[in-house]
Amino acid sequence: MTKRTEKVLMPLIAVFLGFLLGSIIVISTGRSPVSMFSAMIRAVTGIDLVNGMSFNPRYIGEFIIQSMPIILTGLAFAFASRTGLFSIGAEGQLMVGSLAATAVSLLVVAPAAVHVPLVLLAALLAGALWGGIPGLLKARFNVHEVVVTIMMNYIAFHLNNFTILNVFGSVDRVKTAFFPQSALLKDPMLESLTNGSRLNWGFVPVILALLAFSFIINKTTFGYSLRAVGYNKEAARYAGMKVNRNIILSMMIAGAFAGLAGAVITNGTFNFGRALPASEGYGFDGIAVALVGANEASGILFAGLLFGMLKAAQPLMQSQGIPKEIVGIIQASIVLFVAMQYGIKMILDKLASKKNASAEGGQE
Amino acid sequence: MAYIIEMLNITKDFPGIRANDNITLQVEEHSIHALLGENGAGKSTLMSILFGLYQPDAGKIRIKGKDVRVTDPNVATRLGIGMVHQHFKLVHNFTVTENIILGMEPRKGPIIDIRAAEQKVEAISKLYGLAVDPRAKIEDISVGMQQRVEILKMLYRDAEMLIFDEPTAVLTPQEIHELMHIMRRLVEEGKTILLITHKLKEIKEVADICTVLRRGKVVGTVKVADASEEQMAEMMVGREVSFHVAKGPAQPKEVMLRIENLNVKNNKGVLGVKNLSLEVRKGEVLGLCGIDGNGQTELVQALTGLTRIESGKIFVGDTDITPLSIKARTDLGLGHIPEDRQKHGLVLDFTLSENFVIHNYYEKPYAHWGILNPKAIRENADRLIREFDVRSGQGGDTPARSMSGGNQQKAIVAREIDRSPKVLVVAQPTRGLDVGAIEYIHKRIIAERDNDKAILLVSLELDEILDVSDRIAVIFNGEIVGIVNAKETDENELGLMMAGSLRKNVPPARQSETSASVQGRNA
């Protein structure tokens, strides 16, 4: 098995095993896994296989909506991870991103062609700033990024709620006033195209982010030095690379991806800033997406779509009488099986060598 | 004589490679049997099978004529097989006795009977002439002594067959000599020894029989008395090898690297390098020898800029490099082949091509406006692979991790020499390499010397120091205790200086440039 096929095959096996385990659990609750899978297919294609092949494009739109933020938070985790950092701060970076997007949406008056880019830029910078703080602390004082990013998540959460409630004057203790049309990623055309889903132009920054990730990591000298630091910090230092600067920059860029996700949610899925009862878990979904996607842009795209599909399928499954917790179980087991890939590889190798041995035995 | 260990037709496959191919090894009772082979020849795999760490895919093991299945190391211990590992497994703040009884403590009721254990340790130590104090703490005794504790551990567990894995790597010449003596004594007392090594001299000195492995196969088993070192080396490598580097006399020119009164703290916070002064001239190799941990690492790190220095100055040519960053030093013409090639020399998860440009990946032609130029990087790799004979499966695209140690080292040597630095600091360039690769790397170092480069060679291998250097400086406890001409010294003299019991031609603490060079010449 070559390295390349292995890199593709392993996550696929993990996904397969995850679905297998999910099916077994569904069967054990006395339901049919067929309705689970048909719900998933419906979530992706909009086609209802069970009830007379009806087609509703709204599901496709909702599926893409679910995928967009977790692809971005996946990129955020992966980017830091490529520099050898374990950042779980995407959650908080996303929140300050939404907050910045909210601020620019409400406070700036401009035509859409200026307003939307400004919103995105603000979210991106806020996320970068939020990510830069743990980066700086790591580089300067060697404080572990896991600890700092967790703390920053709490700060972001309360900062967001405080600001929404007290500064932007929430209308009903939950949300701000509606944003002006010029700040929105929403578009009635996209909505009508998908039968009234919440699909919006947020996929454009997501695609740009995917391209930027891949370009920075693989094609630039900066990406080269980031990877060197990530793989072997000592050797990078030996070669004269600025390890600390790279740590800070890497955390900032990671934060920018997550911050962007905040804007995509606030100005795409919604059209108002929100005070949150609890954090929504986009950041943690992103960790799972990055893990399954092996920290590569293409992998993250597929893993993000997979997890988005699972999220979108959740309500459909519930309507079929399948507990929605099944989705959580499938997600968790996919991540678990990805983490177990060395064990899986060992089993595969053993099977392969047994096959070889029996083939040789036959020849003798 | 009867065979005590028989490994018959052992075959072991790992994914993609046959580590042991139909190997038969028969060890006579009361003998010292050497197992010789290059890295990756299958020595460790074979010994791991004997010790129960791996199961063979085919073949069987017989101990004292009886078929056995060694399923795990505990079985091996019960069969009387003991292993002295290359890296000692001792608890540093325990006493010798406490370490030896660890895991099988003798008890008097619920209390450990340390007194009885000490007596037993002392008795064994006396019997084999080991001279170990059972009450001494491990951290207070020398490396050589620690190794004896490892041996005692085996003897305490009634091991009859002792496997020594590269036992001399960490010892001084005197300690090596004593170890050889102990091994002989062990055999006299009825033990059997399996010695894993790639040092031919030691085999010649102590072993009775030698089995040579190459690429997982047995090349042959010879009586050591009948075979010359050259013959054994040829069996091991598969071609003729020369042990001595062919080199003309050095033509030293002006001083290129000057170290003045350098003080560096080690990682324990005390001075690891004390007031050290040295000079290396263009066109000469200065060998720095000493026992591991006497300040070599700190010195090299200070030179390359990895450690902050306390005081002193380092000059490359006329430039004081002490305030300069690692990068600035590299750019100024300081090349470095690091001691730990996997930790400091290479990014193992990078490809070979990527590793070759680690110093100048951002410069033309490898990059333009911050964007990498894969074609130029690739061409650079192809050129270096050709020029320096680096063997790799997929050329420049080979992940560094999948290359053999010798080729990894060749890659670093290629990268550093290709930059054509004025001063080349070479640390442990051949550690763990086989004779073929050693020969090549030595040749390259000499070629650089003849190219008018100043070379500081730091090595723990005395043979290497004696062979390659023109002048030799000995470091002990962070100080230079002697500078001698390579031609006018020998292992004995160096060994005494390395142990701190002889000082020779030591440069005075405060010196001017002229007096230092006079010192150098006088040596």
Side-chain angles (χ1 to χ4, degrees):
Chain A
M1 200 166 12
T2 68
K3 269 259 143 67
R4 246 206 138 66
T5 52
E6 194 182 300
K7 220 173 170 182
V8 177
L9 195 63
M10 281 300 151
L12 287 182
I13 291 174
V15 170
F16 171 76
L17 290 174
F19 281 124
L20 191 69
L21 193 68
S23 308
I24 292 170
I25 292 168
V26 169
I27 291 169
S28 74
T29 59
R31 313 275 171 186
S32 160
V34 172
S35 42
M36 176 178 86
F37 285 111
S38 75
M40 288 178 188
I41 288 168
R42 194 171 179 202
V44 178
T45 62
I47 299 169
D48 188 350
L49 293 173
V50 182
N51 295 319
M53 299 299 279
S54 66
F55 172 69
N56 186 349
R58 194 170 71 84
Y59 291 113
I60 303 175
E62 288 299 315
F63 148 62
I64 294 171
I65 286 288
Q66 293 290 353
S67 306
M68 290 185 323
I70 56 176
I71 288 175
L72 286 171
T73 51
L75 290 175
F77 179 81
F79 201 88
S81 186
R82 291 299 281 270
T83 322
L85 298 162
F86 196 91
S87 162
I88 46 182
E91 196 73 45
Q93 290 147 12
L94 181 145
M95 284 183 219
V96 294
S98 345
L99 189 60
T102 303
V104 173
S105 301
L106 291 174
L107 301 177
V108 176
V109 179
V114 180
H115 208 170
V116 169
L118 268 183
V119 165
L120 297 179
L121 189 70
L124 199 132
L125 289 176
L129 179 79
W130 214 251
I133 294 169
L136 187 76
L137 291 174
K138 168 88 176 183
R140 281 297 295 259
F141 305 111
N142 205 19
V143 188
H144 203 286
E145 68 275 12
V146 167
V147 178
V148 183
T149 48
I150 289 176
M151 295 303 171
M152 296 296 285
N153 286 349
Y154 283 113
I155 299 172
F157 174 72
H158 292 292
L159 177 72
N160 176 68
N161 284 2
F162 176 87
T163 318
I164 297 288
L165 295 175
N166 298 299
V167 179
F168 295 116
S170 81
V171 279
D172 53 2
R173 304 289 302 160
V174 181
K175 58 189 188 218
T176 65
F178 290 116
F179 295 166
Q181 194 60 41
S182 62
L184 296 183
L185 292 160
K186 280 177 177 301
D187 185 338
M189 182 195 76
L190 288 174
E191 283 171 18
S192 68
L193 208 64
T194 53
N195 193 19
S197 83
R198 293 176 290 173
L199 186 67
N200 57 69
W201 290 110
F203 64 83
V204 175
V206 172
I207 290 167
L208 290 178
L210 279 162
L211 293 174
F213 179 97
S214 177
F215 180 77
I216 294 172
I217 290 285
N218 296 317
K219 303 282 181 201
T220 66
T221 55
F222 175 56
Y224 174 96
S225 67
L226 286 184
R227 279 183 291 136
V229 171
Y231 285 137
N232 187 344
K233 209 162 139 180
E234 288 299 309
R237 207 156 82 85
Y238 245 52
M241 292 177 194
K242 295 193 174 69
V243 173
N244 283 340
R245 192 201 62 172
N246 280 353
I247 285 174
I248 298 172
L249 281 176
S250 160
M251 284 298 285
M252 288 182 73
I253 293 173
F257 286 125
L260 199 56
V264 167
I265 293 170
T266 330
N267 292 44
T269 315
F270 299 97
N271 55 355
F272 47 80
R274 299 174 302 147
L276 302 168
S279 76
E280 293 175 303
Y282 290 112
F284 295 102
D285 285 340
I287 298 177
V289 167
L291 274 173
V292 175
N295 288 343
E296 299 272 6
S298 51
I300 288 167
L301 173 62
F302 284 112
L305 291 173
L306 174 74
F307 279 43
M309 178 270 277
L310 287 171
K311 276 176 166 246
Q314 224 168 11
L316 289 170
M317 282 162 63
Q318 221 169 359
S319 70
Q320 303 272 342
I322 295 171
K324 67 172 186 182
E325 284 74 18
I326 289 291
V327 163
I329 291 173
I330 293 175
Q331 275 192 13
S333 47
I334 290 173
V335 172
L336 214 64
F337 285 121
V338 166
M340 280 164 55
Q341 58 177 300
Y342 288 105
I344 296 173
K345 194 174 130 41
M346 236 167 69
I347 294 167
L348 285 181
D349 286 341
K350 255 208 183 121
L351 287 177
S353 72
K354 240 187 210 151
K355 220 186 246 169
N356 286 344
S358 63
E360 271 171 35
Q363 279 167 1
E364 274 168 13
Chain B
M1 239 193 268
Y3 291 125
I4 185 162
I5 303 171
E6 289 177 276
M7 299 183 79
L8 304 172
N9 308 100
I10 299 285
T11 296
K12 175 74 187 169
D13 283 313
F14 289 115
I17 189 163
R18 179 156 285 189
N20 285 167
D21 188 355
N22 198 20
I23 290 183
T24 294
L25 174 73
Q26 292 171 306
V27 181
E28 284 178 13
E29 209 166 357
H30 313 319
S31 73
I32 299 182
H33 194 120
L35 194 58
L36 176 69
E38 295 184 281
N39 288 307
K43 292 173 299 192
S44 328
T45 308
L46 191 66
M47 287 304 107
S48 299
I49 290 171
L50 180 58
F51 203 56
L53 295 166
Y54 292 134
Q55 295 306 308
D57 295 328
K60 57 183 169 187
I61 301 174
R62 256 188 231 160
I63 303 290
K64 297 182 193 162
K66 259 187 264 166
D67 281 359
V68 291
R69 271 177 51 80
V70 191
T71 45
D72 64 72
N74 292 332
V75 177
T77 309
R78 233 173 292 137
L79 287 166
I81 302 171
M83 191 149 175
V84 178
H85 294 273
Q86 191 174 355
H87 301 285
F88 308 147
K89 300 177 188 317
L90 298 169
V91 183
H92 273 230
N93 48 4
F94 272 21
T95 66
V96 168
T97 306
E98 283 167 339
N99 265 288
I100 289 170
I101 61 174
L102 203 61
M104 49 179 304
E105 301 84 359
R107 278 167 217 233
K108 208 192 262 170
I111 297 159
I112 296 177
D113 190 358
I114 197 84
R115 192 63 47 81
E118 276 172 1
Q119 278 163 6
K120 190 172 168 193
V121 169
E122 190 138 32
I124 302 172
S125 167
K126 221 173 230 157
L127 175 63
Y128 295 99
L130 295 175
V132 174
D133 172 9
R135 286 176 199 83
K137 274 202 177 153
I138 296 298
E139 57 196 3
D140 297 332
I141 61 178
S142 71
V143 175
M145 275 293 167
Q146 290 179 15
Q147 188 174 51
R148 294 185 191 185
V149 176
E150 286 281 357
I151 298 171
L152 264 173
K153 222 154 88 179
M154 301 306 134
L155 297 172
Y156 189 87
R157 283 161 176 70
D158 297 320
E160 283 177 70
M161 294 148 268
L162 300 161
I163 306 171
F164 282 83
D165 184 8
E166 303 274 356
T168 58
V170 288
L171 303 181
T172 64
Q174 277 79 7
E175 283 174 329
I176 292 173
H177 193 73
E178 286 164 23
L179 176 67
M180 299 288 156
H181 202 74
I182 291 169
M183 288 169 85
R184 277 276 157 226
R185 176 99 187 112
L186 286 165
V187 172
E188 276 167 29
E189 291 296 330
K191 306 289 179 190
T192 305
I193 291 177
L194 245 171
L195 172 67
I196 308 172
T197 185
H198 57 242
K199 291 186 186 158
L200 295 154
K201 227 159 86 183
E202 287 160 15
I203 293 180
K204 202 68 195 153
E205 195 176 330
V206 75
D208 304 304
I209 307 278
C210 175
T211 296
V212 186
L213 298 186
R214 188 167 78 227
R215 290 188 195 160
K217 289 185 188 161
V218 174
V219 184
T221 299
V222 292
K223 272 214 156 76
V224 172
D226 302 341
S228 69
E229 281 184 42
E230 284 76 11
Q231 281 167 331
M232 287 190 283
E234 212 178 312
M235 286 171 77
M236 168 162 77
V237 186
R239 63 180 169 83
E240 228 176 282
V241 258
S242 72
F243 289 102
H244 293 284
V245 195
K247 59 170 187 183
Q251 275 147 7
K253 306 201 170 64
E254 68 267 26
V255 173
M256 207 60 217
L257 173 70
R258 196 164 84 240
I259 305 166
E260 276 181 13
N261 305 324
L262 187 70
N263 285 293
V264 187
K265 276 190 182 163
N266 62 18
N267 51 15
K268 287 181 193 128
V270 293
L271 284 182
V273 171
K274 295 171 198 155
N275 216 19
L276 183 143
S277 298
L278 263 185
E279 288 184 340
V280 189
R281 290 165 178 280
K282 257 172 119 167
E284 75 165 350
V285 179
L286 177 72
L288 183 73
C289 73
I291 301 165
D292 200 6
N294 271 283
Q296 297 96 317
T297 311
E298 290 82 3
L299 175 63
V300 170
Q301 294 198 336
L303 288 176
T304 48
L306 278 161
T307 307
R308 232 167 40 87
I309 64 169
E310 292 302 308
S311 63
K313 281 197 160 64
I314 303 163
F315 292 91
V316 169
D318 295 325
T319 319
D320 178 8
I321 62 165
T322 38
L324 298 183
S325 70
I326 299 173
K327 186 80 212 134
R329 294 180 195 208
T330 315
D331 292 344
L332 195 79
L334 182 73
H336 178 210
I337 296 171
E339 182 176 337
D340 188 335
R341 56 180 159 266
Q342 303 206 329
K343 190 172 166 204
H344 295 129
L346 293 169
V347 177
L348 289 177
D349 294 295
F350 267 7
T351 64
L352 189 51
S353 309
E354 286 175 314
N355 270 298
F356 277 138
V357 294
I358 200 155
H359 292 295
N360 46 6
Y361 62 95
Y362 56 88
E363 285 172 352
K364 276 185 184 174
Y366 307 122
H368 192 55
W369 297 110
I371 294 167
L372 296 168
N373 178 354
K375 193 164 159 264
I377 293 173
R378 186 64 214 262
E379 280 167 5
N380 177 58
D382 289 343
R383 180 177 62 82
L384 288 176
I385 287 171
R386 223 175 23 244
E387 243 172 72
F388 288 81
D389 189 32
V390 183
R391 311 232 178 104
S392 56
Q394 305 135 262
D397 292 334
T398 317
R401 188 181 290 286
S402 71
M403 292 163 52
S404 72
N407 281 303
Q408 288 179 347
Q409 187 71 353
K410 274 189 190 173
I412 296 173
V413 169
R415 182 180 74 202
E416 297 301 321
I417 288 181
D418 189 54
R419 285 174 40 228
S420 192
K422 292 179 228 164
V423 176
L424 191 57
V425 178
V426 187
Q428 304 289 355
T430 58
R431 178 189 270 180
L433 302 191
D434 53 69
V435 278
I438 292 175
E439 184 189 8
Y440 180 84
I441 284 166
H442 285 173
K443 238 193 259 167
R444 277 289 179 169
I445 294 175
I446 296 296
E448 281 309 289
R449 179 201 75 174
D450 295 340
N451 231 345
D452 265 351
K453 303 290 157 55
I455 294 167
L456 177 66
L457 169 69
V458 182
S459 176
L460 300 175
E461 302 279 349
L462 266 189
D463 288 341
E464 175 166 82
I465 291 278
L466 281 163
D467 242 24
V468 180
S469 320
D470 301 309
R471 286 191 302 138
I472 299 173
V474 185
I475 191 166
F476 170 72
N477 210 1
E479 293 174 278
I480 298 294
V481 293
I483 298 181
V484 289
N485 262 338
K487 281 195 198 115
E488 294 155 15
T489 187
D490 55 28
E491 276 187 24
N492 261 331
E493 189 183 54
L494 291 179
L496 288 172
M497 286 194 278
M498 282 160 72
S501 33
L502 178 71
R503 292 171 86 89
K504 211 173 172 184
N505 306 322
V506 185
R510 297 227 170 250
Q511 65 187 38
S512 67
E513 197 182 328
T514 43
S515 74
S517 61
V518 169
Q519 278 290 346
R521 284 290 156 80
N522 286 349

